[in-house]
Amino acid sequence: MTVGTADGRGWRAATRDALYGPEGFYRRPEGPAGHFRTSVHASPLFAGAVARLLCRVDEALGRPPVLDFVDMAAGRGELATGVLTALPAEVAARTRAYAVELADRPGGLDHRIEWRSEPPKRITGLLFANEWLDNVPVEVAEVDSAGVPRLVLVRPDGTERLGEPVAGPEAEWLARWWPLRAEEGLRAEIGRDRDEAWASAVEAIERGLAVAVDYGHTADARPPFGTLTGFREGRETVPVPDGSCDITAHVALDACAAACALPGVRLLPQRDALRALGLTGARPPLALASTDPAAYVRALAGAGEAAELTAAGGLGDFWWLMQPVGVPDVLGE
């Protein structure tokens, strides 16, 4: 069924234009950092942890002559810049960094970072996707008064109405990953496009590790009314597909993981992943305050930032989906 924009269209098409079209949200000059705070923006400790992860991948690969680091949904290149800064000189000299983003390359970006609209095809190293999959547009389904899941159509001003019953591959995805009871008003985001996007990213890796970091859920705890929402100028808002706000929804990460059909996948909270990479959030010993006050203040600030990155109810609740390709587990228990 083809529906005119004025009457509404599926959330997938509406979101794609609102985020990535010529006047889309992600093409605005202020970038994502002007509207919401990610782990990358919260502290340079996050980029340092990713740099340590890249070093572990490097060791698992046998220190190849060229080590790839691919920053998916790179924003304005903040993570790629931070990782290059945090790497040991010898590793940085071998690292080929890519920032993958649809917006234009920002001025002043480190010349070592290659700016691309899609990832390279033959990756040896680490592909890191921080809050990428939640912005891959999806269709939304809602159960009608007869108990039938229907596609939700949205107008440019954000008002919604129900369209045709969910059918075809979308219906198959719902049945497998997010079955809806015949109860009016229940909603789901159909993550098939995200599964395909993640599988395509992993397929580009010849040897190394792919990591997706996002708010997510699994089959044992799907949100009954979905999670579609918007963000504007640091605040959550009603999602309106007019380019004025971010439009996002949490990710069915178990479905993404299954799309790869490769062994060794891990799904764990960010707090556990970062602690395995050396971030604890522990306060420095008080004795340091008397022997080296400046060092104590720096350590105390770092502990506060680490605590924010690992906090329950906040950034620590992100999930890390880790998919190794031809390398052993580099994170450990």
Side-chain angles (χ1 to χ4, degrees):
M1 178 182 67
T2 301
V3 180
T5 301
D7 293 329
R9 53 183 175 157
W11 268 107
R12 177 171 53 194
T15 299
R16 184 183 300 113
D17 288 349
L19 295 185
Y20 307 114
E23 305 298 325
F25 175 82
Y26 278 100
R27 297 186 185 274
R28 294 169 60 138
E30 71 272 18
H35 294 270
F36 51 86
R37 193 163 183 252
T38 72
S39 298
V40 178
H41 307 124
S43 170
L45 294 176
F46 187 79
V50 177
R52 288 192 292 277
L53 179 61
L54 179 58
C55 288
R56 294 190 187 185
V57 173
D58 183 44
E59 290 289 335
L61 291 169
R63 300 183 181 180
V66 177
L67 177 68
D68 295 322
F69 175 69
V70 182
D71 178 12
M72 295 292 296
R76 296 300 179 264
E78 298 95 336
L79 179 60
T81 299
V83 167
L84 285 176
T85 300
L87 285 173
E90 186 277 327
V91 180
R94 291 185 287 109
T95 297
R96 182 169 51 192
Y98 300 92
V100 181
E101 183 59 76
L102 292 180
D104 293 336
R105 181 187 180 97
L109 186 68
D110 191 315
H111 71 277
R112 295 174 294 175
I113 300 172
E114 181 177 335
W115 195 263
R116 300 172 60 103
S117 61
E118 57 183 33
K121 298 298 184 185
R122 298 166 64 89
I123 299 168
T124 300
L126 173 62
L127 180 145
F128 200 89
N130 187 62
E131 296 194 57
W132 167 50
L133 290 174
D134 68 323
N135 286 131
V136 173
V138 292
E139 296 288 12
V140 178
E142 182 176 323
V143 179
D144 67 10
S145 59
V148 177
R150 294 179 176 270
L151 290 178
V152 178
L153 307 181
V154 60
R155 298 183 178 91
D157 64 0
T159 57
E160 296 179 335
R161 68 181 182 88
L162 297 187
E164 293 293 316
V166 180
E170 283 78 16
E172 294 171 5
W173 190 94
L174 273 185
R176 180 179 179 187
W177 292 109
W178 199 331
L180 291 169
R181 301 190 309 276
E183 181 179 327
E184 184 177 7
L186 295 182
R187 287 170 67 119
E189 290 103 28
I190 303 173
R192 189 172 65 91
D193 292 83
R194 292 171 171 178
D195 300 349
E196 293 175 356
W198 177 244
S200 178
V202 172
E203 187 178 3
I205 300 176
E206 291 193 329
R207 292 181 66 223
L209 176 68
V211 180
V213 181
D214 256 306
Y215 284 123
H217 44 72
T218 55
D220 58 345
R222 301 286 189 224
F225 302 104
T227 60
L228 187 75
T229 191
F231 284 92
R232 181 188 296 115
E233 297 177 353
R235 296 184 179 181
E236 190 169 8
T237 185
V238 174
V240 178
D242 62 358
S244 67
C245 66
D246 185 30
I247 299 172
T248 180
H250 295 187
V251 183
L253 286 166
D254 49 348
C256 291
C260 292
L262 290 172
V265 65
R266 292 186 66 179
L267 183 59
L268 70 165
Q270 172 158 293
R271 67 182 64 87
D272 294 344
L274 291 181
R275 286 167 182 162
L277 292 168
L279 286 187
T280 65
R283 294 173 62 91
L286 190 58
L288 184 63
S290 57
T291 59
D292 191 342
Y296 177 78
V297 171
R298 290 194 300 270
L300 191 62
E305 293 175 5
E308 181 183 4
L309 290 169
T310 58
L315 296 176
D317 288 347
F318 276 101
W319 287 97
W320 283 39
L321 172 58
M322 307 183 69
Q323 179 63 71
V325 180
V327 296
D329 178 12
V330 299
L331 202 60
E333 297 299 328

